[in-house]
Amino acid sequence: MQALEQLAPPPSLGLSTSTSTASVSGAILGSTLRALDAALQARDICTHTHCQRVIYYSLTLGRIMGLSEDELVTLERGVFLHDIGKIHMPDSVLLKPGLLSDTERTVMQQHPSIGYEMLRHNPLLTDAAEIVLTHHERYNGSGYPLGLKGDDIPLGARICAITDTFDAITSIRPYRTPMSVEDACDYIQSERGCQYDPEIVDMFTALPPSQWQEVRRVASTGTALNNLFHAA
């Protein structure tokens, strides 16, 4: 577990600085993130806790990949906000206990674009907004909303695509029994080069399932969001 202890803790968001202008910007960003977090909790607590776990998975994977601290900050913000567009989904779609119809799925697939429009004008969230927009793109070009392919998909979104799926398929849903962590890792591997960037899949599966299980346990403590807001 030594490697895991080094990987799991969230980074600083890079907001702390000695300049008053940057401090004010950090405070504004912190307030913005808190407000968005509260809005998401109010609409769908399951989506909120899902984002909490995906932050930890993504930062762990980002550290395995050797991302810089600045890249980790952008990744953390983007992953935290990746489903923020869902606050504008109708209850009949967002809170439906069963599988979505084709029409409902089309509505749900608007959430990356909606989230992007919510964030793109904030200069501190510009790069994060790109992750929000593209986290449902697929490596083979079959994703949405833009149909991007390969390295045209931002790196943070390619990471989020894996960790988002991993959490979704290992979590309880009314219409689906959760996969074991081992089976989920096998599924991610099976989509190597199709849904997911093959090099990132290789780095993801290099960490044993038992350690991903431990990351999930740590993520459930709620400290990811506490760290996210700490700098503000």
Side-chain angles (χ1 to χ4, degrees):
M1 292 297 178
Q2 183 178 0
L4 186 64
E5 291 171 359
Q6 295 172 349
L7 295 171
S12 164
L13 286 191
L15 303 179
S16 298
T17 175
S18 60
T19 65
S20 59
T21 299
S23 296
V24 170
S25 297
I28 293 172
L29 177 59
S31 296
T32 300
L33 294 176
R34 286 189 181 92
L36 292 170
D37 181 51
L40 191 57
Q41 285 191 66
R43 288 289 283 118
D44 182 13
I45 190 63
C46 291
T47 298
H48 171 263
T49 55
H50 160 73
C51 291
Q52 162 84 31
R53 293 188 298 268
V54 178
I55 287 172
Y56 257 93
Y57 297 142
S58 298
L59 291 178
T60 299
L61 183 53
R63 291 189 186 279
I64 291 172
M65 294 170 61
L67 268 59
S68 69
E69 287 301 305
D70 285 346
E71 289 172 322
L72 289 170
V73 166
T74 296
L75 178 63
E76 183 179 26
R77 293 174 183 172
V79 169
F80 168 62
L81 296 166
H82 76 278
D83 277 342
I84 197 63
K86 288 184 178 180
I87 67 175
H88 289 291
M89 294 292 103
D91 285 351
S92 60
V93 174
L94 181 63
L95 305 179
K96 184 175 180 179
L99 292 172
L100 299 180
S101 68
D102 289 345
T103 299
E104 292 165 337
R105 188 174 301 107
T106 298
V107 172
M108 180 63 83
Q109 288 178 349
Q110 297 173 11
H111 80 268
S113 298
I114 293 172
Y116 174 74
E117 290 300 323
M118 292 172 62
L119 303 173
R120 69 185 181 93
H121 296 296
N122 186 324
L124 294 176
L125 294 174
T126 301
D127 291 339
E130 295 292 333
I131 296 175
V132 172
L133 177 64
T134 57
H135 72 278
H136 278 296
E137 301 291 345
R138 294 185 172 186
Y139 196 75
N140 64 4
S142 65
Y144 64 89
L146 303 176
L148 299 180
K149 183 176 182 180
D151 290 349
D152 289 339
I153 304 168
L155 177 61
R158 282 179 273 146
I159 293 171
C160 186
I162 292 173
T163 57
D164 186 23
T165 298
F166 179 75
D167 186 69
I169 62 180
T170 56
S171 299
I172 296 173
R173 295 288 186 271
Y175 51 87
R176 184 185 64 226
T177 301
M179 286 187 184
S180 67
V181 170
E182 291 80 4
D183 287 345
C185 290
D186 288 344
Y187 173 77
I188 297 296
Q189 178 65 40
S190 74
E191 289 294 324
R192 182 184 184 277
C194 296
Q195 289 194 54
Y196 311 122
D197 183 320
E199 294 183 4
I200 301 178
V201 168
D202 290 346
M203 294 182 190
F204 179 87
T205 55
L207 194 68
S210 61
Q211 292 204 10
W212 285 118
Q213 183 65 55
E214 178 64 8
V215 175
R216 185 179 182 87
R217 184 193 66 77
V218 173
S220 299
T221 65
T223 55
L225 296 188
N226 290 337
N227 280 275
L228 184 71
F229 302 144
H230 178 69

